[in-house]
Amino acid sequence: MTFPSDLDISRATPLRPMEDVAAQLGIGEHLLEPYGRNVAKISLDAIDELSDRPRARYVVVSAITPTPLGEGKTTTTVGLGQALNHIGKRSTVAVRQPSMGPTFGIKGGAAGGGYSQVVPMEALNLHLTGDMHAVTAAHNLLAAMLDNHLHKGNELGVDPQRITWRRVLDVNDRDLRNIVSGLGGKQDGSPRQTGFDITAASEVMAVLALSTSLADLRQRLGRIVVGYTPDGEPITAEQLKAAGAMAVILRDALKPNLMQTTENTPVLVHAGPFGNIAHGNSSIVADLVASRCTDYLITEAGFGADMGAERFFNIKCRASGLKPDAAVLVATVRALKAHSGRYKVVAGKPLPPEMLEENPDDVLAGADNLRKQIDNIRLHGVSPVVAINAFPGDFASEHEAIRQVAEAEGAHVAVSTHFTEGGKGGAALAEAVVAACEEPAGFQVLYPDEADLRTKIETIATKVYGADGVSYAPAASRAIDSYEANGYGDLPVCIAKTHLSLSSDPSLLGAPTGWTLPVREVRASVGAGFVYPICGDMRTMPGLGSHPQAESIDLDADGNITGLM
């Protein structure tokens, strides 16, 4: 029997009216703003209206270092939310909104999968309520006002060679990575080299995700730095008088979006910051609402625990004041086999046939990565739960190998079949999460605000990544000194590196030691509220493959969408 596609499962799901979904959260209709039949925005008034309710247990879902195929964090997040309801616990799920770049590129969708997905998947993957487009418009308005300022005399003295603000678009397009703008006649602008990033990489998106209120959003937008004078003085969106109009564009986008899962569990979908150069987590306002609505709030952090979870703890929780009770580490047999160094996994290509054979020794050979990621959770005083995301071709002996490693490290562990069975298949994982949340909580950030930027970088590099130390390119050192002189030294750091290794080298698997983290460049997202050192070549505008998913996405004769995955 052929397993149905995600799109087929989504369309076969009986959806509850949004008023009923909101009622599960104790949110009245007066706080809902319908967007069609199956999506609604939640008014920010809900934050104050619900503030006297008890807080939910707060659980973040992360992973071991993933393969290029991903290990199913979103599916596990959704499945765990459903599973908690199966064991009698009320739960809410909070996830990021997918970018349309990957949807039309290689993924074809990012709503979870199987019987653990956010529905309707077409709405989630295509526009939703327009938040992505609002971020694009606000970002590009600032770029337009900056270029107009140059054209109209440059009263602020912006150095055209030190402009850091590019434009954005929510489509993969490598030809826009580096461009020259302002060509034509004198009235067509001032020619300069610039480029485009994907909308998820915009600092405005990070601002949206980290803002706690409309007033906070307005202030953060004003602090965005777009470039510098020849003397190194920062030029902000506030100085360009653009921040107010940007806030107007984003006013409705700041309201979280309410959807449901295949089992009608409430889901708040909001914001989608890039997982490499930003913190890669859904919004604070969504968590502030959802944390007062049910017994458990399950949210997801991008990439492995060395990246998404570290930023969740040290950036998002620092800004929100919320304290996590447990962290789930998604582990798969294929990822641990990949970390053995015996196989090569390539996105878009089938797994090597020998990798699909029963071999628990290969799993154990790659287990150092799991051990280190468990340790990374514990560094922050949070109880770890290893979720073995079961695939149909796995063997019980391989699951048992993962279980033995996790239990030896003192972590809770459970096999979960939520993809094929929905919440019922994740019941054991839900029980493990409940047990972890009952343990004494001791959450702590990894470094204090007052530590200098180099100390913050080196703390993450040595304690989380396992590096021996950090080396700084001269330009990186100068940037750090400049940022501290401008008063940005108290910001947390968001290290941009490969997600395919604990190190900065994607070819180093497992838990590499004996290496140094090379910081080649350092940039500041002052509005969002973090400094990001860059370690490696970070692509902020993806390209399309030889046969992007866009080739398969279409409408049938009845006007139904086809080709989403």
Side-chain angles (χ1 to χ4, degrees):
M1 180 179 176
T2 303
F3 194 81
S5 71
D6 290 350
L7 186 54
D8 288 339
I9 291 171
S10 174
R11 285 181 177 158
T13 298
L15 298 178
R16 299 185 64 182
M18 295 314 298
E19 295 83 358
D20 292 353
V21 177
Q24 296 180 64
L25 302 174
I27 292 178
E29 290 186 37
H30 65 289
L31 294 172
L32 290 187
E33 298 177 10
Y35 274 69
R37 295 177 180 172
N38 302 312
V39 182
K41 277 194 170 290
I42 300 175
S43 169
L44 297 181
D45 292 342
I47 296 174
D48 290 334
E49 188 168 315
L50 306 176
S51 62
D52 59 346
R53 296 183 186 177
R55 282 205 185 277
R57 296 287 197 179
Y58 194 30
V59 180
V60 62
V61 177
S62 188
I64 62 174
T65 301
T67 67
L69 305 179
E71 310 317 312
K73 283 196 313 300
T74 304
T75 308
T76 302
T77 302
V78 174
L80 174 57
Q82 296 180 153
L84 285 161
N85 291 322
H86 273 266
I87 66 169
K89 307 293 184 182
R90 296 168 57 246
S91 70
T92 314
V93 173
V95 294
R96 287 181 291 174
Q97 179 182 342
S99 164
M100 288 198 301
T103 295
F104 289 108
I106 194 170
K107 282 189 173 184
Y115 289 97
S116 294
Q117 58 174 304
V118 183
V119 291
M121 71 168 296
E122 301 104 305
L124 180 65
N125 288 299
L126 301 171
H127 304 288
L128 197 57
T129 58
D131 294 348
M132 286 280 185
H133 301 313
V135 169
T136 301
H139 181 114
N140 291 340
L141 172 64
L142 177 55
M145 290 185 73
L146 171 59
D147 282 328
N148 186 62
H149 183 84
L150 294 177
H151 183 67
K152 296 296 184 180
N154 195 9
E155 181 181 348
L156 294 172
V158 182
D159 183 349
Q161 301 302 314
R162 301 190 66 180
I163 291 174
T164 57
W165 198 252
R166 292 151 58 92
R167 285 170 169 80
V168 297
L169 186 68
D170 194 35
V171 175
N172 291 2
D173 193 340
R174 66 170 55 81
D175 281 42
L176 292 178
R177 286 174 183 164
N178 295 286
I179 66 169
V180 175
S181 66
L183 296 178
K186 184 176 181 181
Q187 296 306 312
D188 295 322
S190 304
R192 65 181 181 87
Q193 185 173 342
T194 181
F196 277 75
D197 301 321
I198 198 162
T199 297
S202 167
E203 184 180 349
V204 176
M205 178 64 80
V207 166
L208 184 75
L210 289 170
S211 296
T212 58
S213 66
L214 201 56
D216 186 35
L217 172 74
R218 173 63 182 80
Q219 292 171 2
R220 287 175 181 269
L221 291 171
R223 293 198 297 265
I224 288 175
V225 173
V226 298
Y228 296 86
T229 67
D231 295 330
E233 292 296 317
I235 302 297
T236 67
E238 196 68 60
Q239 289 174 283
L240 289 168
K241 301 179 181 178
M246 294 168 71
V248 168
I249 293 173
L250 294 168
R251 183 185 62 170
D252 288 339
L254 187 60
K255 302 169 186 175
N257 306 296
L258 179 63
M259 298 184 73
Q260 59 192 294
T261 74
T262 43
E263 296 182 4
N264 310 120
T265 300
V267 182
L268 273 68
V269 180
H270 200 215
F274 214 57
N276 274 330
I277 65 167
H279 63 293
N281 285 260
S282 57
S283 79
I284 286 177
V285 293
D287 288 0
L288 291 176
V289 172
S291 64
R292 299 291 189 177
C293 291
T294 50
D295 302 323
Y296 289 81
L297 168 57
I298 313 300
T299 191
E300 175 193 357
F303 297 138
D306 56 308
M307 296 186 70
E310 183 273 312
R311 297 163 182 178
F312 171 83
F313 295 137
N314 292 299
I315 297 177
K316 184 178 180 182
C317 290
R318 195 186 297 260
S320 71
L322 298 176
K323 296 182 179 181
D325 298 283
V328 175
L329 277 174
V330 178
T332 61
V333 167
R334 72 182 186 190
L336 289 174
K337 284 185 174 181
H339 279 292
S340 72
R342 299 169 184 173
Y343 306 98
K344 185 177 182 180
V345 177
V346 179
K349 294 185 177 181
L351 293 173
E354 60 273 21
M355 195 176 179
L356 303 177
E357 298 174 1
E358 183 174 9
N359 195 334
D361 288 342
D362 280 354
V363 174
L364 293 173
D368 280 349
N369 188 270
L370 174 59
R371 295 186 182 97
K372 183 65 181 91
Q373 298 290 29
I374 291 173
D375 178 63
N376 287 339
I377 298 298
R378 283 232 170 84
L379 283 172
H380 297 90
V382 178
S383 296
V385 180
V386 175
I388 304 173
N389 185 15
F391 283 65
D394 292 352
F395 295 91
S397 62
E398 296 171 332
H399 290 165
E400 182 58 28
I402 299 175
R403 181 184 295 278
Q404 290 175 5
V405 172
E407 289 180 343
E409 296 299 312
H412 298 268
V413 60
V415 177
S416 188
T417 55
H418 49 272
F419 182 90
T420 55
E421 297 184 286
K424 178 178 67 174
L429 175 59
E431 295 283 7
V433 167
V434 170
C437 288
E438 294 302 319
E439 295 179 354
F443 170 68
Q444 58 186 10
V445 292
L446 202 57
Y447 50 80
D449 292 342
E450 58 269 19
D452 61 70
L453 292 176
R454 288 179 177 81
T455 297
K456 292 170 182 174
I457 295 167
E458 289 155 18
T459 297
I460 294 174
T462 57
K463 291 189 176 182
V464 177
Y465 305 159
D468 287 346
V470 179
S471 64
Y472 300 92
S477 283
R478 289 194 298 271
I480 290 173
D481 293 340
S482 173
Y483 294 148
E484 290 185 335
N486 283 318
Y488 308 149
D490 60 344
L491 297 178
V493 295
C494 181
I495 299 178
K497 72 173 186 68
T498 179
H499 61 284
L500 298 174
S501 173
L502 278 162
S503 75
S504 57
D505 181 350
S507 69
L508 297 181
L509 304 174
T513 58
W515 61 280
T516 299
L517 181 72
V519 177
R520 65 174 181 82
E521 186 180 354
V522 182
R523 301 177 187 174
S525 289
V526 181
F530 54 77
V531 171
Y532 61 102
I534 299 176
C535 309
D537 185 18
M538 295 293 109
R539 291 292 188 191
T540 53
M541 171 53 88
L544 294 172
S546 299
H547 297 285
Q549 192 63 29
E551 293 180 355
S552 303
I553 296 174
D554 207 336
L555 297 174
D556 65 17
D558 297 321
N560 296 311
I561 296 170
T562 62
L564 287 177
M565 298 172 62

